[in-house]
Amino acid sequence: MNKNKPNLNLAYSLETVQDNRELYAAWANDYENDFASALDYVLPNRVAQIFLDMGGTGPVLDVGAGTGLAGQALAKLGVHPIDAIDLSDAMLDVASKKKIYRNLFTSDITQPIATKNHSYQGVISSGTFTHGHVGPNAIDNLLSVSRGGAYFALSINKKHWFEKEFVKKFEALKDVIENLLLHNVEIYGENSKGEHCNDLGIVATFRKV
Ligand SMILES: C[S@@+](CC[C@H](N)C(=O)[O-])C[C@H]1O[C@@H](n2cnc3c(N)ncnc32)[C@H](O)[C@@H]1O
């Protein structure tokens, strides 16, 4: 791979929201071939299945939806409608071609979110709470656009979980969420190769009170 081409190590080393915009603008068209297929990226399917298993229903907001892999997995499981939110227009352009999303919003989830529909019954996220991307405080903004009783299934890279002290965030949220469970998952499947093939994630599931 050309060392200037976007890749996972570059993605993990991003520092700002603008860095993310630029990397994903350059990566959008090749993301699924060069990253998701090449590394046997199974996390979106795991998040979708865990959401279904916890009893999650639509309308769902897919957070950091990217090219739509998690939304696609959720739609296959029969969950509708699904909206997408992501910082990157370029990633959402690819996602929109899949015709699985009701609405697609370009927005930075580290800031208060302005969507037309502020009452999601489900919130999922795959691969966005990770190194160089989004930290724990964005969860406040997701709670603000969901209704009481909403189901959440958010993946968090396991090292990022410890580095950014997600456990403290969940302690601080104890009066506004319930039934918090932490599911250990593999991010990549058995056909993955390379330095990240054994990387682990946590899928945090909970309900808004
Ligand atoms: C690794 S991709 C994951 C995409 C998709 N969910 C998946 O699993 O394939 C991370 C996504 O997070 C988005 N992202 C990064 N920072 C963000 C922010 N502050 N607000 C919204 N989206 C963000 C990126 O644009 C990118 O599409």
Side-chain angles (χ1 to χ4, degrees):
M1 184 186 275
N2 176 335
K3 71 177 180 190
N4 295 318
K5 236 178 146 182
N7 60 47
L8 189 54
N9 283 330
L10 276 180
Y12 278 175
S13 66
L14 300 175
E15 290 182 2
T16 66
V17 166
Q18 185 57 21
D19 288 346
N20 271 268
R21 257 191 215 103
E22 288 171 15
L23 178 113
Y24 284 102
W27 208 2
N29 288 325
D30 298 326
Y31 174 87
E32 292 197 4
N33 274 336
D34 288 1
F35 167 67
S37 301
L39 270 66
D40 193 16
Y41 176 56
V42 295
L43 185 63
N45 295 334
R46 298 274 191 280
V47 170
Q49 187 63 52
I50 287 171
F51 181 78
L52 189 79
D53 291 348
M54 76 184 292
T57 55
V60 174
L61 183 63
D62 179 6
V63 173
T67 61
L69 292 174
Q72 205 170 2
L74 205 55
K76 269 196 194 140
L77 294 172
V79 178
H80 299 285
I82 312 169
D83 288 355
I85 188 165
D86 199 285
L87 189 66
S88 169
D89 278 333
M91 294 290 272
L92 289 180
D93 280 349
V94 176
S96 72
K97 296 197 176 89
K98 295 182 174 164
K99 310 270 184 227
I100 48 169
Y101 292 111
R102 176 183 64 176
N103 298 299
L104 298 101
F105 304 110
T106 304
S107 187
D108 171 7
I109 60 151
T110 65
Q111 304 298 319
I113 299 168
T115 64
K116 285 184 191 152
N117 183 345
H118 280 234
S119 60
Y120 290 99
Q121 180 61 15
V123 179
I124 63 162
S125 185
S126 158
T128 296
F129 289 91
T130 191
H131 308 294
H133 289 53
V134 173
N137 287 338
I139 296 171
D140 294 332
N141 298 325
L142 307 184
L143 286 164
S144 299
V145 294
S146 57
R147 41 178 100 139
Y151 294 82
F152 282 70
L154 309 178
S155 86
I156 301 146
N157 176 289
K158 198 159 189 172
K159 282 190 186 159
H160 190 59
W161 168 278
F162 289 111
E163 283 166 13
K164 298 291 178 186
E165 301 184 309
F166 274 76
V167 74
K168 284 192 182 161
K169 184 70 197 173
F170 283 111
E171 276 164 17
L173 291 174
K174 69 178 171 27
D175 293 335
V176 291
I177 67 169
E178 60 187 5
N179 301 344
L180 175 66
L181 285 175
L182 305 178
H183 308 253
N184 286 295
V185 294
E186 287 163 353
I187 298 177
Y188 304 101
E190 58 189 22
N191 297 318
S192 192
K193 295 192 182 80
E195 65 180 297
H196 290 291
C197 68
N198 295 317
D199 283 6
L200 297 174
I202 290 173
V203 178
T205 59
F206 56 91
R207 295 189 71 181
K208 179 173 170 175
V209 171

PDB file of all heavy atoms in Angstrom, residues 17 20 24 31 35 41 44 62-70 85-88 91 107-110 126-128 133-134, ligand 1:
ATOM      1  N   VAL A  17     -10.773  17.176  14.578  1.00  0.00           N
ATOM      2  CA  VAL A  17     -11.954  16.917  13.760  1.00  0.00           C
ATOM      3  C   VAL A  17     -11.626  17.190  12.282  1.00  0.00           C
ATOM      4  O   VAL A  17     -12.024  16.429  11.392  1.00  0.00           O
ATOM      5  CB  VAL A  17     -13.117  17.796  14.271  1.00  0.00           C
ATOM      6  CG1 VAL A  17     -14.269  17.843  13.296  1.00  0.00           C
ATOM      7  CG2 VAL A  17     -13.604  17.266  15.621  1.00  0.00           C
ATOM      8  N   ASN A  20      -9.854  14.370  10.734  1.00  0.00           N
ATOM      9  CA  ASN A  20     -10.791  13.297  10.393  1.00  0.00           C
ATOM     10  C   ASN A  20     -11.496  13.594   9.074  1.00  0.00           C
ATOM     11  O   ASN A  20     -11.617  12.732   8.211  1.00  0.00           O
ATOM     12  CB  ASN A  20     -11.837  13.132  11.499  1.00  0.00           C
ATOM     13  CG  ASN A  20     -11.406  12.150  12.574  1.00  0.00           C
ATOM     14  OD1 ASN A  20     -11.702  10.968  12.499  1.00  0.00           O
ATOM     15  ND2 ASN A  20     -10.687  12.633  13.568  1.00  0.00           N
ATOM     16  N   TYR A  24     -10.991  11.051   5.850  1.00  0.00           N
ATOM     17  CA  TYR A  24     -12.120  10.290   5.318  1.00  0.00           C
ATOM     18  C   TYR A  24     -12.574  10.793   3.949  1.00  0.00           C
ATOM     19  O   TYR A  24     -13.121  10.018   3.158  1.00  0.00           O
ATOM     20  CB  TYR A  24     -13.250  10.209   6.343  1.00  0.00           C
ATOM     21  CG  TYR A  24     -12.910   9.198   7.421  1.00  0.00           C
ATOM     22  CD1 TYR A  24     -12.448   9.596   8.672  1.00  0.00           C
ATOM     23  CD2 TYR A  24     -12.966   7.838   7.155  1.00  0.00           C
ATOM     24  CE1 TYR A  24     -12.083   8.672   9.638  1.00  0.00           C
ATOM     25  CE2 TYR A  24     -12.597   6.901   8.115  1.00  0.00           C
ATOM     26  CZ  TYR A  24     -12.161   7.313   9.352  1.00  0.00           C
ATOM     27  OH  TYR A  24     -11.779   6.383  10.289  1.00  0.00           O
ATOM     28  N   TYR A  31     -12.529   2.814   1.134  1.00  0.00           N
ATOM     29  CA  TYR A  31     -12.599   2.354   2.529  1.00  0.00           C
ATOM     30  C   TYR A  31     -13.053   0.884   2.622  1.00  0.00           C
ATOM     31  O   TYR A  31     -12.465   0.090   3.339  1.00  0.00           O
ATOM     32  CB  TYR A  31     -13.551   3.277   3.288  1.00  0.00           C
ATOM     33  CG  TYR A  31     -13.865   2.869   4.705  1.00  0.00           C
ATOM     34  CD1 TYR A  31     -13.058   3.265   5.764  1.00  0.00           C
ATOM     35  CD2 TYR A  31     -15.000   2.109   4.993  1.00  0.00           C
ATOM     36  CE1 TYR A  31     -13.360   2.897   7.070  1.00  0.00           C
ATOM     37  CE2 TYR A  31     -15.310   1.743   6.288  1.00  0.00           C
ATOM     38  CZ  TYR A  31     -14.496   2.141   7.324  1.00  0.00           C
ATOM     39  OH  TYR A  31     -14.794   1.772   8.619  1.00  0.00           O
ATOM     40  N   PHE A  35      -9.889  -1.326   3.406  1.00  0.00           N
ATOM     41  CA  PHE A  35      -9.901  -1.531   4.864  1.00  0.00           C
ATOM     42  C   PHE A  35     -10.857  -2.667   5.260  1.00  0.00           C
ATOM     43  O   PHE A  35     -10.426  -3.717   5.711  1.00  0.00           O
ATOM     44  CB  PHE A  35     -10.255  -0.233   5.587  1.00  0.00           C
ATOM     45  CG  PHE A  35     -10.597  -0.432   7.030  1.00  0.00           C
ATOM     46  CD1 PHE A  35      -9.614  -0.852   7.925  1.00  0.00           C
ATOM     47  CD2 PHE A  35     -11.887  -0.239   7.499  1.00  0.00           C
ATOM     48  CE1 PHE A  35      -9.925  -1.086   9.266  1.00  0.00           C
ATOM     49  CE2 PHE A  35     -12.203  -0.468   8.827  1.00  0.00           C
ATOM     50  CZ  PHE A  35     -11.219  -0.889   9.715  1.00  0.00           C
ATOM     51  N   TYR A  41     -13.163  -6.890   8.540  1.00  0.00           N
ATOM     52  CA  TYR A  41     -13.682  -6.017   9.607  1.00  0.00           C
ATOM     53  C   TYR A  41     -15.110  -6.455   9.947  1.00  0.00           C
ATOM     54  O   TYR A  41     -16.037  -6.200   9.189  1.00  0.00           O
ATOM     55  CB  TYR A  41     -13.650  -4.593   9.063  1.00  0.00           C
ATOM     56  CG  TYR A  41     -14.219  -3.494   9.933  1.00  0.00           C
ATOM     57  CD1 TYR A  41     -13.768  -3.268  11.223  1.00  0.00           C
ATOM     58  CD2 TYR A  41     -15.182  -2.629   9.411  1.00  0.00           C
ATOM     59  CE1 TYR A  41     -14.270  -2.227  11.976  1.00  0.00           C
ATOM     60  CE2 TYR A  41     -15.683  -1.576  10.148  1.00  0.00           C
ATOM     61  CZ  TYR A  41     -15.227  -1.387  11.440  1.00  0.00           C
ATOM     62  OH  TYR A  41     -15.722  -0.335  12.179  1.00  0.00           O
ATOM     63  N   PRO A  44     -19.010  -4.017  12.508  1.00  0.00           N
ATOM     64  CA  PRO A  44     -20.369  -3.509  12.233  1.00  0.00           C
ATOM     65  C   PRO A  44     -21.432  -4.596  12.386  1.00  0.00           C
ATOM     66  O   PRO A  44     -22.524  -4.339  12.914  1.00  0.00           O
ATOM     67  CB  PRO A  44     -20.279  -3.026  10.772  1.00  0.00           C
ATOM     68  CG  PRO A  44     -18.817  -2.780  10.534  1.00  0.00           C
ATOM     69  CD  PRO A  44     -18.086  -3.784  11.382  1.00  0.00           C
ATOM     70  N   ASP A  62     -27.464   5.823  13.364  1.00  0.00           N
ATOM     71  CA  ASP A  62     -26.166   5.163  13.194  1.00  0.00           C
ATOM     72  C   ASP A  62     -25.095   6.255  13.251  1.00  0.00           C
ATOM     73  O   ASP A  62     -24.993   7.092  12.359  1.00  0.00           O
ATOM     74  CB  ASP A  62     -26.142   4.417  11.848  1.00  0.00           C
ATOM     75  CG  ASP A  62     -24.817   3.709  11.585  1.00  0.00           C
ATOM     76  OD1 ASP A  62     -23.958   3.692  12.480  1.00  0.00           O
ATOM     77  OD2 ASP A  62     -24.662   3.186  10.460  1.00  0.00           O
ATOM     78  N   VAL A  63     -24.309   6.226  14.310  1.00  0.00           N
ATOM     79  CA  VAL A  63     -23.411   7.334  14.661  1.00  0.00           C
ATOM     80  C   VAL A  63     -22.000   7.075  14.116  1.00  0.00           C
ATOM     81  O   VAL A  63     -21.405   6.046  14.413  1.00  0.00           O
ATOM     82  CB  VAL A  63     -23.370   7.471  16.198  1.00  0.00           C
ATOM     83  CG1 VAL A  63     -22.335   8.479  16.625  1.00  0.00           C
ATOM     84  CG2 VAL A  63     -24.750   7.842  16.721  1.00  0.00           C
ATOM     85  N   GLY A  64     -21.486   8.028  13.346  1.00  0.00           N
ATOM     86  CA  GLY A  64     -20.220   7.786  12.652  1.00  0.00           C
ATOM     87  C   GLY A  64     -20.444   6.700  11.619  1.00  0.00           C
ATOM     88  O   GLY A  64     -19.653   5.765  11.483  1.00  0.00           O
ATOM     89  N   ALA A  65     -21.547   6.860  10.892  1.00  0.00           N
ATOM     90  CA  ALA A  65     -22.039   5.798  10.003  1.00  0.00           C
ATOM     91  C   ALA A  65     -21.063   5.458   8.886  1.00  0.00           C
ATOM     92  O   ALA A  65     -21.062   4.341   8.366  1.00  0.00           O
ATOM     93  CB  ALA A  65     -23.381   6.226   9.407  1.00  0.00           C
ATOM     94  N   GLY A  66     -20.231   6.412   8.495  1.00  0.00           N
ATOM     95  CA  GLY A  66     -19.258   6.149   7.447  1.00  0.00           C
ATOM     96  C   GLY A  66     -19.935   5.745   6.150  1.00  0.00           C
ATOM     97  O   GLY A  66     -20.889   6.382   5.695  1.00  0.00           O
ATOM     98  N   THR A  67     -19.468   4.658   5.551  1.00  0.00           N
ATOM     99  CA  THR A  67     -20.046   4.193   4.284  1.00  0.00           C
ATOM    100  C   THR A  67     -21.275   3.315   4.504  1.00  0.00           C
ATOM    101  O   THR A  67     -21.806   2.759   3.545  1.00  0.00           O
ATOM    102  CB  THR A  67     -19.005   3.398   3.478  1.00  0.00           C
ATOM    103  OG1 THR A  67     -18.610   2.253   4.256  1.00  0.00           O
ATOM    104  CG2 THR A  67     -17.784   4.245   3.148  1.00  0.00           C
ATOM    105  N   GLY A  68     -21.688   3.151   5.760  1.00  0.00           N
ATOM    106  CA  GLY A  68     -22.968   2.489   6.009  1.00  0.00           C
ATOM    107  C   GLY A  68     -22.900   1.010   6.348  1.00  0.00           C
ATOM    108  O   GLY A  68     -23.906   0.308   6.266  1.00  0.00           O
ATOM    109  N   LEU A  69     -21.727   0.524   6.784  1.00  0.00           N
ATOM    110  CA  LEU A  69     -21.617  -0.923   7.026  1.00  0.00           C
ATOM    111  C   LEU A  69     -22.503  -1.393   8.186  1.00  0.00           C
ATOM    112  O   LEU A  69     -23.120  -2.455   8.107  1.00  0.00           O
ATOM    113  CB  LEU A  69     -20.159  -1.312   7.289  1.00  0.00           C
ATOM    114  CG  LEU A  69     -19.231  -1.172   6.079  1.00  0.00           C
ATOM    115  CD1 LEU A  69     -17.780  -1.440   6.492  1.00  0.00           C
ATOM    116  CD2 LEU A  69     -19.643  -2.122   4.960  1.00  0.00           C
ATOM    117  N   ALA A  70     -22.571  -0.599   9.262  1.00  0.00           N
ATOM    118  CA  ALA A  70     -23.394  -1.031  10.406  1.00  0.00           C
ATOM    119  C   ALA A  70     -24.885  -0.889  10.069  1.00  0.00           C
ATOM    120  O   ALA A  70     -25.689  -1.758  10.405  1.00  0.00           O
ATOM    121  CB  ALA A  70     -23.045  -0.230  11.655  1.00  0.00           C
ATOM    122  N   ILE A  85     -25.456   9.566  10.746  1.00  0.00           N
ATOM    123  CA  ILE A  85     -24.801  10.847  11.049  1.00  0.00           C
ATOM    124  C   ILE A  85     -23.294  10.622  10.983  1.00  0.00           C
ATOM    125  O   ILE A  85     -22.787   9.605  11.469  1.00  0.00           O
ATOM    126  CB  ILE A  85     -25.254  11.399  12.417  1.00  0.00           C
ATOM    127  CG1 ILE A  85     -24.722  12.821  12.625  1.00  0.00           C
ATOM    128  CG2 ILE A  85     -24.842  10.507  13.571  1.00  0.00           C
ATOM    129  CD1 ILE A  85     -25.426  13.561  13.762  1.00  0.00           C
ATOM    130  N   ASP A  86     -22.594  11.531  10.354  1.00  0.00           N
ATOM    131  CA  ASP A  86     -21.137  11.413  10.215  1.00  0.00           C
ATOM    132  C   ASP A  86     -20.579  12.793   9.883  1.00  0.00           C
ATOM    133  O   ASP A  86     -21.250  13.636   9.286  1.00  0.00           O
ATOM    134  CB  ASP A  86     -20.783  10.425   9.091  1.00  0.00           C
ATOM    135  CG  ASP A  86     -19.347   9.919   9.201  1.00  0.00           C
ATOM    136  OD1 ASP A  86     -18.413  10.687   8.868  1.00  0.00           O
ATOM    137  OD2 ASP A  86     -19.156   8.774   9.622  1.00  0.00           O
ATOM    138  N   LEU A  87     -19.314  12.963  10.260  1.00  0.00           N
ATOM    139  CA  LEU A  87     -18.596  14.197   9.964  1.00  0.00           C
ATOM    140  C   LEU A  87     -18.309  14.367   8.474  1.00  0.00           C
ATOM    141  O   LEU A  87     -18.167  15.485   7.977  1.00  0.00           O
ATOM    142  CB  LEU A  87     -17.257  14.055  10.690  1.00  0.00           C
ATOM    143  CG  LEU A  87     -16.328  15.200  10.781  1.00  0.00           C
ATOM    144  CD1 LEU A  87     -16.943  16.286  11.636  1.00  0.00           C
ATOM    145  CD2 LEU A  87     -15.025  14.725  11.420  1.00  0.00           C
ATOM    146  N   SER A  88     -18.200  13.244   7.795  1.00  0.00           N
ATOM    147  CA  SER A  88     -17.639  13.241   6.437  1.00  0.00           C
ATOM    148  C   SER A  88     -18.728  13.135   5.374  1.00  0.00           C
ATOM    149  O   SER A  88     -19.388  12.094   5.245  1.00  0.00           O
ATOM    150  CB  SER A  88     -16.673  12.058   6.309  1.00  0.00           C
ATOM    151  OG  SER A  88     -16.316  11.875   4.963  1.00  0.00           O
ATOM    152  N   MET A  91     -17.896  10.141   3.030  1.00  0.00           N
ATOM    153  CA  MET A  91     -18.310   8.816   3.509  1.00  0.00           C
ATOM    154  C   MET A  91     -19.835   8.674   3.374  1.00  0.00           C
ATOM    155  O   MET A  91     -20.332   7.627   2.938  1.00  0.00           O
ATOM    156  CB  MET A  91     -17.891   8.626   4.967  1.00  0.00           C
ATOM    157  CG  MET A  91     -16.386   8.576   5.187  1.00  0.00           C
ATOM    158  SD  MET A  91     -15.567   7.097   4.546  1.00  0.00           S
ATOM    159  CE  MET A  91     -15.697   5.962   5.931  1.00  0.00           C
ATOM    160  N   SER A 107     -22.518  15.965  10.425  1.00  0.00           N
ATOM    161  CA  SER A 107     -22.435  16.685  11.683  1.00  0.00           C
ATOM    162  C   SER A 107     -21.300  16.117  12.541  1.00  0.00           C
ATOM    163  O   SER A 107     -20.978  14.933  12.442  1.00  0.00           O
ATOM    164  CB  SER A 107     -23.773  16.542  12.419  1.00  0.00           C
ATOM    165  OG  SER A 107     -23.806  17.339  13.560  1.00  0.00           O
ATOM    166  N   ASP A 108     -20.734  16.986  13.373  1.00  0.00           N
ATOM    167  CA  ASP A 108     -19.673  16.596  14.312  1.00  0.00           C
ATOM    168  C   ASP A 108     -20.342  16.188  15.614  1.00  0.00           C
ATOM    169  O   ASP A 108     -20.931  17.028  16.305  1.00  0.00           O
ATOM    170  CB  ASP A 108     -18.753  17.814  14.507  1.00  0.00           C
ATOM    171  CG  ASP A 108     -17.744  17.614  15.615  1.00  0.00           C
ATOM    172  OD1 ASP A 108     -17.643  16.498  16.162  1.00  0.00           O
ATOM    173  OD2 ASP A 108     -17.042  18.602  15.927  1.00  0.00           O
ATOM    174  N   ILE A 109     -20.238  14.922  15.975  1.00  0.00           N
ATOM    175  CA  ILE A 109     -20.965  14.460  17.169  1.00  0.00           C
ATOM    176  C   ILE A 109     -20.282  14.855  18.475  1.00  0.00           C
ATOM    177  O   ILE A 109     -20.802  14.576  19.551  1.00  0.00           O
ATOM    178  CB  ILE A 109     -21.209  12.935  17.152  1.00  0.00           C
ATOM    179  CG1 ILE A 109     -19.890  12.152  17.102  1.00  0.00           C
ATOM    180  CG2 ILE A 109     -22.143  12.542  16.030  1.00  0.00           C
ATOM    181  CD1 ILE A 109     -19.955  10.808  17.755  1.00  0.00           C
ATOM    182  N   THR A 110     -19.130  15.505  18.403  1.00  0.00           N
ATOM    183  CA  THR A 110     -18.535  16.031  19.644  1.00  0.00           C
ATOM    184  C   THR A 110     -19.180  17.362  20.029  1.00  0.00           C
ATOM    185  O   THR A 110     -18.874  17.922  21.074  1.00  0.00           O
ATOM    186  CB  THR A 110     -17.003  16.207  19.524  1.00  0.00           C
ATOM    187  OG1 THR A 110     -16.719  17.213  18.558  1.00  0.00           O
ATOM    188  CG2 THR A 110     -16.324  14.901  19.130  1.00  0.00           C
ATOM    189  N   SER A 126     -20.374   1.974  15.343  1.00  0.00           N
ATOM    190  CA  SER A 126     -19.329   0.977  15.086  1.00  0.00           C
ATOM    191  C   SER A 126     -18.068   1.684  14.610  1.00  0.00           C
ATOM    192  O   SER A 126     -18.097   2.388  13.595  1.00  0.00           O
ATOM    193  CB  SER A 126     -19.851   0.013  14.004  1.00  0.00           C
ATOM    194  OG  SER A 126     -18.793  -0.637  13.356  1.00  0.00           O
ATOM    195  N   GLY A 127     -16.987   1.550  15.344  1.00  0.00           N
ATOM    196  CA  GLY A 127     -15.680   2.014  14.863  1.00  0.00           C
ATOM    197  C   GLY A 127     -15.401   3.487  15.005  1.00  0.00           C
ATOM    198  O   GLY A 127     -14.366   3.962  14.533  1.00  0.00           O
ATOM    199  N   THR A 128     -16.254   4.229  15.690  1.00  0.00           N
ATOM    200  CA  THR A 128     -16.106   5.689  15.769  1.00  0.00           C
ATOM    201  C   THR A 128     -15.543   6.145  17.115  1.00  0.00           C
ATOM    202  O   THR A 128     -14.822   7.143  17.181  1.00  0.00           O
ATOM    203  CB  THR A 128     -17.466   6.347  15.443  1.00  0.00           C
ATOM    204  OG1 THR A 128     -17.774   6.003  14.091  1.00  0.00           O
ATOM    205  CG2 THR A 128     -17.434   7.845  15.590  1.00  0.00           C
ATOM    206  N   HIS A 133     -10.310   9.549  17.040  1.00  0.00           N
ATOM    207  CA  HIS A 133     -11.652   9.890  16.559  1.00  0.00           C
ATOM    208  C   HIS A 133     -12.457  10.578  17.666  1.00  0.00           C
ATOM    209  O   HIS A 133     -12.334  11.764  17.860  1.00  0.00           O
ATOM    210  CB  HIS A 133     -12.358   8.632  16.041  1.00  0.00           C
ATOM    211  CG  HIS A 133     -11.813   8.092  14.741  1.00  0.00           C
ATOM    212  ND1 HIS A 133     -10.492   7.811  14.553  1.00  0.00           N
ATOM    213  CD2 HIS A 133     -12.417   7.777  13.568  1.00  0.00           C
ATOM    214  CE1 HIS A 133     -10.290   7.360  13.315  1.00  0.00           C
ATOM    215  NE2 HIS A 133     -11.463   7.338  12.691  1.00  0.00           N
ATOM    216  N   VAL A 134     -13.268   9.812  18.373  1.00  0.00           N
ATOM    217  CA  VAL A 134     -14.254  10.419  19.277  1.00  0.00           C
ATOM    218  C   VAL A 134     -14.081   9.855  20.697  1.00  0.00           C
ATOM    219  O   VAL A 134     -13.942   8.639  20.873  1.00  0.00           O
ATOM    220  CB  VAL A 134     -15.676  10.143  18.740  1.00  0.00           C
ATOM    221  CG1 VAL A 134     -16.730  10.615  19.730  1.00  0.00           C
ATOM    222  CG2 VAL A 134     -15.879  10.843  17.390  1.00  0.00           C
TER     223      VAL A 134
HETATM  224  C1  LIG B   1     -13.655   3.832  11.167  1.00  0.00           C
HETATM  225  S1  LIG B   1     -14.952   4.772  10.457  1.00  0.00           S
HETATM  226  C2  LIG B   1     -16.351   3.750  10.918  1.00  0.00           C
HETATM  227  C3  LIG B   1     -17.465   3.858   9.902  1.00  0.00           C
HETATM  228  C4  LIG B   1     -18.550   2.808  10.057  1.00  0.00           C
HETATM  229  N1  LIG B   1     -19.338   2.996  11.244  1.00  0.00           N
HETATM  230  C5  LIG B   1     -17.938   1.433  10.039  1.00  0.00           C
HETATM  231  O1  LIG B   1     -17.961   0.724  11.059  1.00  0.00           O
HETATM  232  O2  LIG B   1     -17.408   1.071   8.972  1.00  0.00           O
HETATM  233  C6  LIG B   1     -15.115   6.148  11.573  1.00  0.00           C
HETATM  234  C7  LIG B   1     -16.134   7.183  11.122  1.00  0.00           C
HETATM  235  O3  LIG B   1     -16.264   8.154  12.156  1.00  0.00           O
HETATM  236  C8  LIG B   1     -16.459   9.412  11.553  1.00  0.00           C
HETATM  237  N2  LIG B   1     -16.116  10.460  12.529  1.00  0.00           N
HETATM  238  C9  LIG B   1     -14.900  10.754  13.043  1.00  0.00           C
HETATM  239  N3  LIG B   1     -14.994  11.788  13.894  1.00  0.00           N
HETATM  240  C10 LIG B   1     -16.309  12.160  13.919  1.00  0.00           C
HETATM  241  C11 LIG B   1     -17.029  13.196  14.588  1.00  0.00           C
HETATM  242  N4  LIG B   1     -16.423  14.039  15.431  1.00  0.00           N
HETATM  243  N5  LIG B   1     -18.361  13.289  14.362  1.00  0.00           N
HETATM  244  C12 LIG B   1     -18.987  12.438  13.511  1.00  0.00           C
HETATM  245  N6  LIG B   1     -18.353  11.447  12.842  1.00  0.00           N
HETATM  246  C13 LIG B   1     -17.026  11.303  13.048  1.00  0.00           C
HETATM  247  C14 LIG B   1     -15.552   9.384  10.346  1.00  0.00           C
HETATM  248  O4  LIG B   1     -15.894  10.373   9.388  1.00  0.00           O
HETATM  249  C15 LIG B   1     -15.731   7.940   9.853  1.00  0.00           C
HETATM  250  O5  LIG B   1     -16.735   7.844   8.885  1.00  0.00           O
END
